[in-house]
Amino acid sequence: MSADSNILLLPLCFFGLYMILEAADWGLCLAAPLVSRNEEENHAILGLLKPGLDGNELWFFLGMFMMGAAIPSLSQQLAGTRTVMIVLVALGALLRLAACFGKKFLGKSWMMKLNAAFSVIVLAVLGLISSSLLMEGGSLISAIGIFTALWLILSAFQLGSLYGAVKVVNPLGERFRASFLVSSVLNVVVYIILAILLKNHAAESNLYGSFFWISLVATAILFALAFFFTRTRHVKVGLAAVYFSSFFAIAIYLSAYAVMLPAHFTVELDSLKNAMDGLPGTALLIMAFVWTLGTFIWRQIRRKETYEWKDHI
């Protein structure tokens, strides 16, 4: 990679952190109307969103700030769409926070469906807008954009489903497990097509080389392990494998931005340095890291969400 590409690695890593850490929350909202059978189960799913305010959005906002500072012309091109992304991500965080403490209202069946529709819209918009940066003309609608949107939705759905299978009691947990297995083939097909599109689009930049194939093989092996262990009801191991698989999948995706953004825009290191000097950078990063890491660890070790299943009474 070039020097300009290296400058973009940190903000791209921030976007990657947001995608990995927040995917389960988006996925729980997406899967809820499909796996839940009553309000008690809706409340159990909303309980999985605790503590609600997890700080993951900080990585997205920091990434947006740093990317805009490093590439001033990028902010001009995005204009209103940049604000749209920030508002949608913030609204998603507020909605999930409200859901943790307002289960009685937000646990209604129609509200769960509305939340799922909102999640689909947000992930699709994020995929289309972000992928437009890879297009020379900045087009919002492209094959890469469409498959990025589908991949974000399906990946979040799968991670949320598998997290639900680990952290909620049966029968809801079993339905979460089944939803992961059923959607796996579609997710794999969508991601393979996306990876091929990215590789072909960046062929002129000699983007990937061996990195592409190593990461793609690692993604495939880890996802196959996740499917196998989930199929055999070792869902905790399956969840760990999905997180590692997601890391390599996101690395392939974001690497396209590291190489292709400098080809379309001028990267200004001095501008980034000046912007960061105006922020309590180190303190902010440490706070965000501790906050999000602590929340992530707590979510992995927390007890299962229980509920009273009343359908049989």
Side-chain angles (χ1 to χ4, degrees):
M1 289 188 180
S2 65
D4 287 343
S5 297
N6 292 333
I7 294 171
L8 300 179
L9 288 181
L10 187 57
L12 288 172
C13 285
F14 290 164
F15 288 128
L17 278 172
Y18 172 76
M19 293 167 71
I20 291 177
L21 295 176
E22 198 63 15
D25 283 355
W26 287 113
L28 287 168
C29 297
L30 289 168
L34 300 178
V35 299
S36 181
R37 298 291 182 267
N38 51 46
E39 285 195 19
E40 288 79 15
E41 293 186 340
N42 287 342
H43 294 169
I45 294 173
L46 295 181
L48 293 176
L49 297 175
K50 293 179 180 178
L53 196 61
D54 50 30
N56 294 335
E57 291 75 20
L58 280 175
W59 297 115
F60 183 86
F61 298 144
L62 279 171
M64 289 290 289
F65 172 78
M66 292 182 67
M67 191 68 75
I71 311 177
S73 57
L74 180 63
S75 298
Q76 297 174 7
Q77 177 173 312
L78 287 176
T81 55
R82 180 185 181 185
T83 303
V84 169
M85 289 193 291
I86 293 174
V87 169
L88 288 177
V89 168
L91 282 176
L94 292 175
L95 183 60
R96 288 190 291 276
L97 177 62
C100 293
F101 303 100
K103 294 180 182 179
K104 188 172 182 180
F105 175 68
L106 293 174
K108 300 289 185 182
S109 178
W110 67 273
M111 280 298 299
M112 299 294 282
K113 292 177 182 176
L114 188 62
N115 196 359
F118 173 75
S119 301
V120 169
I121 292 171
V122 172
L123 293 174
V125 169
L126 291 179
L128 291 173
I129 293 178
S130 61
S131 297
S132 70
L133 304 179
L134 299 176
M135 303 296 110
E136 192 168 348
S139 174
L140 276 175
I141 305 299
S142 65
I144 290 178
I146 292 171
F147 277 94
T148 296
L150 291 173
W151 169 59
L152 289 178
I153 293 168
L154 287 169
S155 295
F157 177 88
Q158 289 219 291
L159 219 164
S161 294
L162 199 45
Y163 181 76
V166 172
K167 291 300 177 180
V168 71
V169 297
N170 288 331
L172 181 55
E174 181 62 20
R175 286 190 227 115
F176 266 125
R177 187 184 74 90
S179 68
F180 170 83
L181 295 173
V182 169
S183 59
S184 291
V185 173
L186 181 58
N187 187 38
V188 169
V189 171
V190 167
Y191 184 72
I192 289 175
I193 294 175
L194 174 61
I196 293 172
L197 288 173
L198 287 171
K199 190 175 189 304
N200 290 339
H201 186 65
E204 60 193 33
S205 304
N206 194 23
L207 166 60
Y208 290 117
S210 60
F211 169 80
F212 174 84
W213 296 110
I214 292 172
S215 297
L216 189 61
V217 169
T219 301
I221 291 174
L222 287 164
F223 191 85
L225 289 173
F227 184 91
F228 171 78
F229 282 113
T230 303
R231 181 71 178 81
T232 56
R233 288 184 165 78
H234 295 88
V235 287
K236 290 183 179 179
V237 181
L239 179 62
V242 162
Y243 271 117
F244 283 111
S245 175
S246 298
F247 170 81
F248 286 103
I250 290 171
I252 290 175
Y253 176 70
L254 293 180
S255 293
Y257 290 86
V259 172
M260 299 210 60
L261 286 182
H264 297 160
F265 304 94
T266 301
V267 179
E268 300 181 15
L269 179 58
D270 290 337
S271 175
L272 177 60
K273 287 181 177 179
N274 292 334
M276 293 304 294
D277 288 341
L279 288 176
T282 302
L284 188 62
L285 287 176
I286 292 176
M287 181 185 72
F289 179 77
V290 172
W291 185 3
T292 56
L293 178 62
T295 302
F296 179 78
I297 292 174
W298 177 81
R299 283 185 165 179
Q300 305 314 308
I301 64 176
R302 61 167 291 179
R303 294 181 179 179
K304 285 190 175 186
E305 193 76 17
T306 59
Y307 67 97
E308 183 180 359
W309 187 42
K310 297 181 179 179
D311 276 6
H312 65 290
I313 298 177

